[in-house]
mmCIF file of all heavy atoms in Angstrom:
data_model
loop_
_atom_site.group_PDB
_atom_site.id
_atom_site.type_symbol
_atom_site.label_atom_id
_atom_site.label_comp_id
_atom_site.label_asym_id
_atom_site.label_seq_id
_atom_site.Cartn_x
_atom_site.Cartn_y
_atom_site.Cartn_z
ATOM 1 N N GLY Z 146 112.715 97.018 88.339
ATOM 2 C CA GLY Z 146 113.314 97.298 87.056
ATOM 3 C C GLY Z 146 113.519 96.075 86.162
ATOM 4 O O GLY Z 146 114.097 96.183 85.090
ATOM 5 N N LEU Z 155 105.288 85.703 85.758
ATOM 6 C CA LEU Z 155 104.380 86.428 84.807
ATOM 7 C C LEU Z 155 104.288 85.768 83.444
ATOM 8 O O LEU Z 155 103.588 86.292 82.551
ATOM 9 C CB LEU Z 155 104.860 87.882 84.676
ATOM 10 C CG LEU Z 155 104.755 88.721 85.981
ATOM 11 C CD1 LEU Z 155 105.424 90.062 85.819
ATOM 12 C CD2 LEU Z 155 103.307 88.884 86.387
ATOM 13 N N LEU Z 240 90.556 95.735 122.100
ATOM 14 C CA LEU Z 240 90.152 96.250 123.401
ATOM 15 C C LEU Z 240 90.325 97.763 123.475
ATOM 16 O O LEU Z 240 89.447 98.501 123.959
ATOM 17 C CB LEU Z 240 90.966 95.578 124.535
ATOM 18 C CG LEU Z 240 90.536 95.979 125.946
ATOM 19 C CD1 LEU Z 240 89.111 95.519 126.271
ATOM 20 C CD2 LEU Z 240 91.511 95.387 126.992
#
Side-chain angles (χ1 to χ4, degrees):
Chain Z
L155 296 171
L240 184 64

